């Protein structure tokens, strides 16, 4: 059993596809152990994406992540980290496999609908960033 952090990004929330995306998780064996809609502050987004702080796209990424509310969730299941990444599809939606969340709901590499933790180590850090132990069940 594994846990991973998912974020439904502002573009997908604005499109009204929160339910459709959460259904992809539940229909593919991932349980929603915690979930919350929230508005990230600039400080939240900068801290969350700190690994990318030196990249050219960091400023645009932070601006985008605070452009509207997001939905943060803890997904739980067997191989949850890899399974979520598989359901999400490639970072650039133009390269995402048909039937993936990004192929179906994302516009471009900046507004790409979802985030998912990329390793067990990052999943633990990212889950703790958003949720206390008693919020996860
Ligand atoms: P995420 O971390 O959001 O789940 P990812 O793990 O697929 O996406 P990362 O390499 O971690 O991709 O990049 C984080 C985010 O930064 C991407 O989701 C994307 O929005 C943005 N990004 C990544 N690479 C580029 C790029 N070359 N140009 C513009 N934006 C980019
Ligand atoms: Mg990433």
């Amino acid at each position: 059993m594994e846990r991973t952090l998912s974020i439904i990004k502002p573009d997908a929330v604005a499109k009204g596809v929160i339910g459709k995306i959460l259904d992809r998780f539940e229909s593919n064996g991932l349980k929603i152990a915690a979930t919350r809609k929230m508005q990230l502050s600039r400080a939240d987004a900068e801290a969350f994406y700190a690994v990318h702080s030196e990249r050219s796209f960091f400023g645009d990424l932070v601006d985008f992540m605070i452009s509207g509310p997001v939905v943060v969730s803890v997904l739980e299941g067997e191989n949850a980290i890899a399974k979520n990444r598989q359901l999400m599809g490639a970072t650039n939606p133009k390269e995402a496999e048909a039937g993936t969340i990004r192929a179906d709901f994302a516009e471009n590499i900046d507004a790409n609908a979802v985030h998912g933790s990329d390793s067990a180590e990052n999943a633990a850090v990212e889950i703790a960033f958003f949720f206390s132990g008693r919020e996860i069940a």
Side-chain angles (χ1 to χ4, degrees):
M1 198 57 68
E2 204 172 62
R3 284 176 175 169
T4 188
L5 184 89
S6 160
I7 304 179
I8 302 177
K9 296 186 179 183
D11 58 319
V13 172
K15 263 188 204 167
V17 293
I18 295 171
K20 285 182 178 163
I21 292 176
L22 293 178
D23 178 60
R24 296 285 173 102
F25 303 141
E26 292 192 314
S27 297
N28 287 280
L30 293 175
K31 290 200 183 325
I32 297 166
T35 192
R36 181 198 317 124
K37 188 179 185 187
M38 65 183 292
Q39 172 67 49
L40 297 182
S41 68
R42 183 168 293 275
D44 287 332
E46 286 175 353
F48 185 78
Y49 275 120
V51 292
H52 295 308
S53 62
E54 303 303 318
R55 308 285 289 276
S56 59
F57 56 81
F58 182 67
D60 288 342
L61 176 60
V62 168
D63 285 344
F64 169 66
M65 290 299 289
I66 66 174
S67 65
V70 298
V71 174
V72 293
S73 305
V74 178
L75 307 179
E76 187 175 82
E78 213 173 302
N79 296 319
I81 296 165
K83 187 176 281 182
N84 181 39
R85 298 284 298 190
Q86 193 182 338
L87 294 173
M88 287 163 58
T91 307
N92 185 346
K94 290 179 179 67
E95 291 161 13
E97 222 175 293
T100 61
I101 293 168
R102 281 168 167 163
D104 290 345
F105 301 117
E107 299 308 322
N108 53 59
I109 195 166
D110 300 297
N112 63 1
V114 281
H115 162 85
S117 307
D118 60 11
S119 68
E121 192 188 358
N122 286 340
V125 171
E126 292 179 1
I127 289 168
F129 185 84
F130 285 112
F131 295 99
S132 66
R134 61 213 276 261
E135 292 176 306
I136 305 168

